[in-house]
Amino acid sequence: QYLVKNVGVGEWFFEDIPIVGVDLSIVDRYLGFDLAAILGADFLQKYALTIDYQESYFTLSDESPEPGPGAHVIPFKISNKLVFLKASPAYSNDEYTFLVDTGATSLVYFQNRLEETFPEYNSWPRSLGWEEATFLGKKDADVYLMPEFKVGDAGIESVVTTVTQPGLLGIGLNIIGGSPVHGIVGWTFLHYWKVTFDYPNKRLILEPYEYYNEKWPHMFDSVGFMFAYENGKPMIDHILPDTPASDSDLKVGDVLL
């Protein structure tokens, strides 16, 4: 752990910010650029952070925000600097604990928890044989369309959901969260809202867009391969079984032109 004397974000400047050194190279491969750092709770805990996915910007405020018309306000808890809340998947009347992570590209459900709570999940639309990149390396994963996912009274139907084994991450989250953690609330749910993390008041504010424009209408479609960047060039990193890509002459390592 290190102490950074000065950090600037837009018009904001901060002093004496503690940071933890981690290897972000595996994330860089999938982003196609070098990720310098991740903003976390040490940096944000005094502020309200608002992310506008439609307009691609975020704001920081040291004042408590007033929820707009139709906004959903959901309490969360912070444990070991991580944000946890209760959510109701797949039209369930029960609530389960999830981590909230804006860096997660998908709603994630740990397979053991999914099998316990929704044994019929294999009847959902699915795409098998994916890989998920994490700080701990790549993991096998499958992608499903969850019928509905609901946080408080804010629900979205047909949410793209990555299903993977919990591994060490799941074990650690169970300990930190103080109860069984079922997964991670990520981008495939959050991007439908203007999202505000009101850290001082420990509440998540989800505001519906007046005119929502789905910029990613084909999230569940795939020709069957995943790519990463090597020396600045997109390269096939993984081929899914039983897809057009696996039936073609494409192979891992091919560069996309």
Side-chain angles (χ1 to χ4, degrees), residues 78-92:
I78 298 177
S79 181
N80 199 26
K81 303 175 184 177
L82 299 176
V83 173
F84 296 89
L85 50 67
K86 297 290 186 178
S88 301
Y91 299 110
S92 172

Side-chain angles (χ1 to χ4, degrees), residues 83-145:
V83 173
F84 296 89
L85 50 67
K86 297 290 186 178
S88 301
Y91 299 110
S92 172
N93 292 322
D94 298 320
E95 290 188 325
Y96 305 98
T97 302
F98 283 79
L99 170 75
V100 185
D101 181 3
T102 58
T105 57
S106 171
L107 175 65
V108 175
Y109 217 120
F110 296 137
Q111 187 166 358
N112 60 330
R113 302 299 178 195
L114 191 59
E115 291 171 348
E116 292 172 5
T117 50
F118 303 104
E120 75 281 4
Y121 78 95
N122 274 315
S123 65
W124 301 346
R126 59 183 177 169
S127 177
L128 306 180
W130 291 75
E131 289 185 341
E132 177 189 28
T134 73
F135 295 130
L136 302 177
K138 293 194 293 186
K139 296 173 60 178
D140 293 336
D142 297 319
V143 177
Y144 288 77
L145 272 184

Side-chain angles (χ1 to χ4, degrees), residues 49-59 191 193-196 209 215:
L49 166 70
T50 297
I51 303 173
D52 190 321
Y53 289 97
Q54 287 285 293
E55 299 298 330
S56 301
Y57 71 86
F58 76 88
T59 59
H191 83 280
W193 318 90
K194 181 184 288 187
V195 179
T196 297
Y209 290 103
K215 298 180 179 180

Side-chain angles (χ1 to χ4, degrees), residues 154 238 250:
H238 178 66
L250 294 173

Side-chain angles (χ1 to χ4, degrees), residues 11 45 48 52 55 64 66 71 73 86 131 133 141 153 161-162 164 166 170 182 191 202 208 210 239 241:
E11 300 175 352
Q45 61 188 338
D52 190 321
E55 299 298 330
S64 180
E66 188 67 31
V73 181
K86 297 290 186 178
E131 289 185 341
D153 57 354
T161 304
T162 299
T164 186
H182 280 237
H191 83 280
K202 294 182 175 60
E210 183 176 2
I239 295 179

Side-chain angles (χ1 to χ4, degrees), residues 26-44:
I26 189 169
V27 180
D28 296 342
R29 290 191 69 236
Y30 290 92
L31 291 176
F33 57 84
D34 293 336
L35 184 65
I38 298 173
L39 300 182
D42 275 336
F43 185 85
L44 300 169

